Amino acid sequence: MNPYASVTQLRSGLDNGDFSADELAHFYLDRIDAAEDLNCFITVDAEGVLAAAKRADKAIADKRIGPLTGIPIAHKDIFCTRGLLTSCASRMLNNFVAPYDATVVDRLKRAGAITIGKTNMDEFAMGSSNETSFYGPVKNPWDRECVPGGSSGGSAAAVAAGLAAACTGSDTGGSIRQPASFCGVTGLKPTYGRVSRYGMIAFASSLDQGGPLARSASDAGTLLNAMEGYDPNDSTSAIADPTDIFSSSRALKIGIPSQYWNDLSPSLTKVLEEARRTLESLGHRAVPVELPHTNAATAVYYVIAGAEASTNLSRYDGIRYGHRAASPENLEDLYQFSRSEGFGSEVKRRILTGTYALSVGYYDAYYLKAQQIRRLIRQDFLDAFGEADIILTPVSPSTAFKREALIEDPISMYQQDIYTTPASLAGLPALSLPCGVSDQMPVGMQFIGPHFGESLLLTLGREYQSETDWHALHPADNHD
Amino acid sequence: MTEWEAVIGLEVHVQLATRSKIFSRAATTFGEYPNSNANAVDIALPGVLPVLNEEAVRMAIKFGLAIDAEIASSCRFDRKNYFYPDLPKGYQISQLDQPIVGRGTLPISFGDGSIREIGITRAHLEEDAGKSIHTAYDGLTGIDLNRAGTPLLEIVSEPELYSAAEAAAYFRELHGLVTTLEICDGNLNEGSMRCDANISIRPKGAVILGERTEIKNVNSFRFVERALNYEIDRQIAVLESGGKVVLETRLYDSERDETRSMRSKESSDDYRYFPDPDLLPVEIPDELIESVRVTMPELPTAKRNRYIHELGLTDYEAGRLIEDPLGARYFDAVAELSVDAKLAANWILGDVAAALNRDEISFVNVPIAPDQLGTLLNRIQDETITGKIAKSIFELLWTKGGSVDGIIESQGLRQLDNTRELEGVVSQIISDFPDQVGQFREGKEKILGFFVGQVMKATNGKANPKQVNEILRRELRA
């Protein structure tokens, strides 16, 4: 069996009887065991997987086949999964077994997918390196000294290392796209509102969006089709046409924003230029666009995301569930000790800065100002989409960096998100896909599309990937 | 001596009578087993999201229309952040600066018959908190989240009430209004309406307001009046002894009939309000407002005017009737059967009210349907039965049920108005009581009542009193 087979290949293998869902499940479980040092998983539900695989084999035999029947996928540990630990990689939720399935989990189950486990991540999705997890860092399968990116680092590394067919992730300021880029996989952050947030533990409500990490744009589209759609449980979810990854391709105007390209390192510029030429060779045309407020995006992002996080995380008070400090003397102690012990330092930093940004006397200068600039950033994109159909940018200023290189320097760490936060602030869909290597590490590029333009992005991605093989590269299997 | 004037504004929290909570599908029923009405959203599990209950929006609009207020074409919800064990999310979803209902007015009729329009600053939607229970477990606090997420409409008045009695009258009027609108069940003892009062005093005639205190959570008409009277006296005493009123929150202790300082507002909390990103702004199209408008019942003020000017009731009768919206509705149903309105009012405020009182029930379960009471009163009017017989039929209807006409027929209660028959009874009585006849003829007219009584006794109360009077006078003079 090929651990790097696409969802499409696995589908036909299962349907043709080349292998059973049970065999496939055992295959991936064994690989997960063997790759334990990567620390991709917080929970592996071997028993549940095998039971689900048996049901899938029955369904296949009965010709009740959904698009993902029998396909093992993993969920980022930010999604609530009924009966399974849902920790958000935090000590705070180290004991939280969710009593319900997130809408995304439920929909993927209905499409037939088997939940093989829950992937590691930055605590409460706060981090760009997967080093803030209570369960320890995830290693990049391309170079175990390097980070896999974050916060969906476990998901990206699991796909890259062939430990699951695909994974879910969540993206608030780049948390799907940057790890996809660092691990050489394809990740999509959908338009805000396309995928229900119900059951996806909130970090920053106005930015959070669930999405797929997969081996290709095509696989990402298959997962997205199962995940997307209006959900009455999420007031911010949208009614939109389903994504069509086979939408007819046409000659596109590809916007090249100087603000994203000018300061790029020579080695990444070389890779990105090559990708641009490939796209041009497919009949598309590069056009310059301007996104003048780009340089404010990261600051704006950290004010807004922090503000929202500071109140979203207030529910973790040690009263009803989650970590509670031992023998508090009074209510004040109960709150203070439970939260001091339960949250890691990056989470505390965000809560503190966010609380500050919302406080009387600072609200106007920080939160309100950030919202005003957010509108300008959004308007930049709307203007640019008057000139171009999609926008092509790098995903990250660098390839995967070494562990502990930035963790003590939050500002530098935050700067990692410079190319991903603007689309988040504007609520736009953005696809991260491999487009080359630099010093033997994967490099990703980003397609940013207009609102609900996923079909455009994924179709272009599929077209690019049919012309190139960057997405098919995988790290050496160190236990083969 | 300075003459003082109190200036009072009320914030009334009205629990809306929606079936489910404002942001979750859990039921809002009162008195259930602790936490049985709290679902994943109410206990704020990780990952859950609020979804606005449209019924709560409709109810708020209904209130806005009733006070002739501007309904926001778009409003939004904000998070009010603070930690408390019975506040599961660590914030309350409320409306800070874009309330659904803007400025309106509520006309209040005071005891002396005067009417004044009290300004309502705004009314906004928010969610109720749960309850902390300190008594059930030794040394521990229990948390009951059944109430968490119950929709509240917070109605804020202008500081335009100038005595404790006026404040109580306003609270009472508001109670009548929200129950008439059927947006609140009005059960004060279940906390369906809770009142916070802001009060300051100033020398009469002064323009500048004095320093105020806020009295929290006073939940009955009587306690509002008593708490405010206590607080007015306290503030006057402070000022007259040369002291200063301190801006603070005070709690009313009804057992001791006093207010006590709860916390100073100096160290006021920073609630870090900001727009709740989980909820989109609420757009309120005109069509929605119009669809609510057509469901508007007759409002208390209009009702009062109609009772007085169209039906000829007194101020007092009209006031008593509209005090209880269900009573007023009962009256309307009775009066609709072309019954004399005055007669209907007399009976409802008299016999019906007394019987309800006696049996300790309310108009919700009044045992006589309005059409039966209407028929009964019509039978008095058309002289089928006497008023006296009517009272006994009323008792029968109340205790045993049945139909008025059925009882009249089966028990032969029809008024006796056959002249010849009555003449026979009268002449028998005249011959039975010669002494009394003599007294009458000597000019003691009052004794006529005695003869009427005798005739009624002889006819089991069925005799037509008018006819009896006529025949008696004629026969006695003969």
Side-chain angles (χ1 to χ4, degrees):
Chain A
M1 247 176 279
N2 172 12
Y4 307 105
S6 70
V7 169
T8 318
Q9 288 164 335
L10 292 176
R11 173 82 277 130
S12 61
L14 285 165
D15 294 354
N16 298 337
D18 301 344
F19 46 83
S20 67
D22 185 57
E23 287 170 317
L24 188 60
H26 276 289
F27 175 74
Y28 275 120
L29 286 172
D30 289 347
R31 286 189 62 83
I32 291 170
D33 269 352
E36 216 180 338
D37 68 307
L38 292 176
N39 201 22
C40 288
F41 285 84
I42 291 172
T43 301
V44 178
D45 178 26
E47 209 176 304
V49 176
L50 296 177
K54 289 220 163 51
R55 288 195 298 273
D57 280 328
K58 176 88 169 57
I60 292 168
D62 295 349
K63 299 277 181 241
R64 290 180 286 110
I65 304 174
L68 295 168
T69 299
I71 311 272
I73 64 164
H75 291 295
K76 185 178 183 180
D77 209 25
I78 201 168
F79 290 97
C80 284
T81 42
R82 187 151 47 103
L84 285 183
L85 173 70
T86 300
S87 72
C88 234
S90 180
R91 184 184 182 194
M92 183 57 89
L93 291 176
N94 185 32
N95 61 0
F96 179 68
V97 175
Y100 74 106
D101 277 334
T103 300
V104 159
V105 172
D106 181 57
R107 289 188 175 178
L108 283 165
K109 268 189 191 170
R110 284 168 197 275
I114 294 174
T115 304
I116 198 161
K118 304 291 292 289
T119 58
N120 204 344
M121 54 184 279
D122 280 298
E123 184 182 9
F124 282 103
M126 297 175 189
S128 306
S129 67
N130 222 304
E131 292 170 285
T132 71
S133 169
F134 175 61
Y135 301 91
V138 174
K139 293 176 181 167
N140 190 317
W142 291 87
D143 177 349
R144 282 165 157 73
E145 300 296 307
C146 287
V147 303
S151 65
S152 310
S155 288
V159 174
L163 311 183
C167 290
T168 57
S170 69
D171 190 314
T172 305
S175 280
I176 287 175
R177 293 162 283 163
Q178 183 250 23
S181 157
F182 280 15
C183 293
V185 303
T186 302
L188 175 74
K189 181 202 94 74
T191 308
Y192 183 78
R194 184 178 279 284
V195 172
S196 167
R197 293 186 295 117
Y198 189 76
M200 186 174 85
I201 296 177
F203 160 16
S205 309
S206 75
L207 297 156
D208 294 346
Q209 188 61 199
L213 292 107
R215 288 187 208 298
S216 65
S218 178
D219 281 5
T222 304
L223 251 75
L224 180 64
N225 280 154
M227 296 164 78
E228 68 188 350
Y230 173 73
D231 177 8
N233 286 327
D234 176 1
S235 312
T236 62
S237 81
I239 296 169
D241 288 336
T243 301
D244 175 10
I245 54 171
F246 297 103
S247 66
S248 62
S249 38
R250 56 185 169 96
L252 300 177
K253 282 183 282 182
I254 296 177
I256 307 291
S258 60
Q259 290 81 2
Y260 287 68
W261 287 69
N262 285 354
D263 297 330
L264 206 55
S265 71
S267 56
L268 291 193
T269 303
K270 189 161 158 276
V271 174
L272 267 289
E273 290 288 359
E274 174 63 32
R276 192 193 70 182
R277 279 192 294 275
T278 305
L279 289 167
E280 284 173 329
S281 74
L282 292 166
H284 306 295
R285 184 158 61 90
V287 296
V289 293
E290 294 302 313
L291 296 166
H293 295 94
T294 301
N295 67 351
T298 304
V300 166
Y301 168 82
Y302 277 92
V303 169
I304 291 172
E308 293 180 7
S310 73
T311 101
N312 279 333
L313 271 59
S314 292
R315 66 189 59 195
Y316 309 111
D317 56 7
I319 303 277
R320 296 167 312 288
Y321 53 78
H323 178 73
R324 181 190 283 196
S327 25
E329 291 279 305
N330 53 43
L331 182 62
E332 204 60 34
D333 284 359
L334 171 63
Y335 286 148
Q336 196 182 323
F337 299 155
S338 299
R339 288 169 66 82
S340 296
E341 296 164 6
F343 292 137
S345 60
E346 182 58 28
V347 172
K348 286 177 194 163
R349 184 179 357 260
R350 310 260 185 134
I351 291 174
L352 288 172
T353 53
T355 301
Y356 184 80
L358 289 176
S359 298
V360 166
Y362 301 97
Y363 181 90
D364 289 359
Y366 291 97
Y367 183 78
L368 208 60
K369 180 63 79 185
Q371 289 291 13
Q372 288 162 350
I373 301 170
R374 181 179 187 173
R375 278 191 285 278
L376 296 176
I377 290 168
R378 184 186 154 94
Q379 191 56 48
D380 280 358
F381 278 107
L382 297 183
D383 293 345
F385 286 121
E387 312 289 321
D389 299 303
I390 69 131
I391 291 165
L392 173 65
T393 79
V395 179
S396 170
S398 71
T399 55
F401 47 86
K402 294 270 191 285
R403 267 195 311 285
E404 291 170 23
L406 298 178
I407 194 71
E408 298 301 329
D409 181 1
I411 301 296
S412 301
M413 185 73 92
Y414 295 171
Q415 288 303 325
Q416 282 294 311
D417 304 335
I418 183 167
Y419 302 134
T420 47
T421 51
S424 295
L425 291 166
L428 297 168
L431 179 69
S432 166
L433 65 172
C435 66
V437 291
S438 172
D439 285 335
Q440 286 146 40
M441 292 303 280
V443 177
M445 64 174 162
Q446 173 173 237
F447 299 163
I448 302 172
H451 290 110
F452 300 101
E454 283 85 346
S455 300
L456 198 62
L457 300 184
L458 289 168
T459 300
L460 184 64
R462 202 168 46 78
E463 206 182 322
Y464 175 81
Q465 288 177 342
S466 67
E467 200 60 29
T468 57
D469 285 325
W470 299 115
H471 65 290
L473 292 183
H474 55 82
D477 229 359
N478 73 334
H479 54 275
D480 279 349
Chain B
M1 276 297 274
T2 319
E3 208 186 324
W4 300 98
E5 173 186 63
V7 181
I8 301 164
L10 298 189
E11 293 168 16
V12 179
H13 291 82
V14 173
Q15 282 189 340
L16 297 178
T18 53
R19 280 191 301 269
S20 58
K21 295 187 177 177
I22 184 167
F23 299 118
S24 93
R25 296 196 192 98
T28 53
T29 44
F30 181 83
E32 303 290 336
Y33 188 77
N35 298 306
S36 60
N37 274 358
N39 69 12
V41 174
D42 303 318
I43 64 178
L45 283 187
V48 297
L49 296 170
V51 176
L52 179 60
N53 180 343
E54 196 189 316
E55 199 52 35
V57 173
R58 295 181 68 91
M59 287 182 175
I61 293 172
K62 206 168 183 186
F63 177 77
L65 291 174
I67 61 163
D68 200 18
E70 189 170 326
I71 312 291
S73 58
S74 169
C75 65
R76 72 168 191 223
F77 287 94
D78 301 281
R79 292 184 183 177
K80 178 183 183 181
N81 294 284
Y82 63 97
F83 283 98
Y84 205 73
D86 56 27
L87 187 73
K89 295 188 292 295
Y91 56 84
Q92 178 196 32
I93 304 178
S94 180
Q95 298 191 296
L96 176 65
D97 50 12
Q98 293 185 19
I100 182 163
V101 175
R103 186 172 270 277
T105 54
L106 185 65
I108 309 293
S109 65
F110 295 107
D112 59 2
S114 67
I115 289 181
R116 200 172 78 231
E117 298 213 322
I118 305 300
I120 289 181
T121 317
R122 56 180 283 172
H124 67 258
L125 285 166
E126 61 184 26
E127 57 180 342
D128 211 341
K131 282 179 184 165
S132 296
I133 296 157
H134 301 289
T135 48
Y137 312 94
D138 187 36
L140 296 172
T141 297
I143 305 292
D144 179 4
L145 297 178
N146 281 351
R147 196 180 69 178
T150 298
L152 294 176
L153 188 66
E154 180 175 334
I155 302 165
V156 183
S157 87
E158 290 288 301
E160 293 177 357
L161 300 157
Y162 301 111
S163 70
E166 286 191 7
Y170 166 85
F171 191 20
R172 205 182 289 270
E173 191 76 29
L174 211 52
H175 179 269
L177 180 60
V178 297
T179 49
T180 299
L181 293 171
E182 296 181 322
I183 61 173
C184 176
D185 65 18
N187 288 330
L188 299 183
N189 50 4
E190 292 178 2
S192 294
M193 283 181 79
R194 310 194 293 271
C195 177
D196 300 340
N198 283 292
I199 171 162
S200 62
I201 59 165
R202 63 184 174 192
K204 204 171 173 88
V207 180
I208 297 168
L209 292 171
E211 187 64 275
R212 72 189 161 88
T213 59
E214 184 180 14
I215 309 173
K216 280 275 179 202
N217 250 329
V218 219
N219 302 335
S220 86
F221 305 134
R222 196 157 51 103
F223 289 160
V224 164
E225 191 159 351
R226 281 167 53 174
L228 285 169
N229 274 329
Y230 175 89
E231 185 59 17
I232 291 168
D233 289 347
R234 189 192 69 85
Q235 290 192 9
I236 291 174
V238 167
L239 292 181
E240 289 190 340
S241 65
K244 273 185 173 171
V245 173
V246 186
L247 176 66
E248 62 183 353
T249 301
R250 299 178 70 86
L251 207 63
Y252 177 65
D253 179 340
S254 58
E255 284 185 14
R256 293 189 178 178
D257 190 22
E258 64 178 28
T259 66
R260 280 198 303 274
S261 181
M262 208 163 96
R263 61 184 142 94
S264 146
K265 287 226 170 189
E266 300 288 328
S267 59
S268 88
D269 299 310
D270 178 358
Y271 291 117
R272 305 191 321 278
Y273 278 101
F274 80 111
D276 191 335
D278 285 333
L279 292 159
L280 300 173
V282 184
E283 306 297 331
I284 301 175
D286 288 345
E287 302 84 76
L288 177 59
I289 297 175
E290 292 316 309
S291 77
V292 174
R293 199 189 298 279
V294 298
T295 68
M296 293 293 283
E298 183 180 37
L299 298 180
T301 307
K303 212 180 255 296
R304 178 188 281 113
N305 285 336
R306 181 166 63 83
Y307 287 177
I308 295 169
H309 298 117
E310 289 178 31
L311 302 182
L313 305 189
T314 63
D315 273 4
Y316 171 78
E317 288 166 335
R320 287 253 339 253
L321 281 171
I322 62 171
E323 217 166 67
D324 179 351
L326 286 174
R329 198 199 287 173
Y330 188 80
F331 168 77
D332 285 337
V334 173
E336 206 158 275
L337 298 162
S338 68
V339 174
D340 177 65
K342 196 88 184 163
L343 184 66
N346 277 338
W347 272 74
I348 289 168
L349 295 175
D351 299 81
V352 176
L356 289 173
N357 216 14
R358 179 193 67 208
D359 296 353
E360 291 180 343
I361 54 175
S362 76
F363 276 103
V364 177
N365 35 21
V366 59
I368 302 180
D371 65 317
Q372 287 305 314
L373 184 65
T375 309
L376 184 68
L377 303 187
N378 278 334
R379 293 296 168 269
I380 300 174
Q381 287 247 291
D382 64 18
E383 301 189 348
T384 309
I385 54 170
T386 65
K388 190 161 186 254
I389 290 292
K391 304 248 175 200
S392 62
I393 296 177
F394 178 84
E395 274 310 310
L396 266 178
L397 289 171
W398 191 275
T399 51
K400 298 205 170 73
S403 88
V404 173
D405 291 333
I407 293 171
I408 292 173
E409 289 314 315
S410 67
Q411 307 207 8
L413 298 177
R414 219 167 244 292
Q415 184 162 267
L416 195 54
D417 50 7
N418 179 315
T419 310
R420 197 161 300 159
E421 204 174 321
L422 280 178
E423 278 170 354
V425 176
V426 167
S427 61
Q428 180 63 44
I429 282 166
I430 285 175
S431 63
D432 285 354
F433 298 98
D435 291 358
Q436 283 81 354
V437 174
Q439 287 175 23
F440 181 82
R441 290 186 177 149
E442 281 158 22
K444 199 176 172 191
E445 289 256 337
K446 271 191 188 159
I447 202 123
L448 188 67
F450 166 78
F451 288 105
V452 174
Q454 290 301 320
V455 176
M456 286 299 176
K457 198 171 158 191
T459 58
N460 287 324
K462 291 187 289 184
N464 179 334
K466 223 166 84 192
Q467 268 179 306
V468 171
N469 259 301
E470 275 172 26
I471 296 169
L472 270 173
R473 281 182 189 280
R474 197 173 66 221
E475 296 297 316
L476 285 168
R477 289 212 174 88

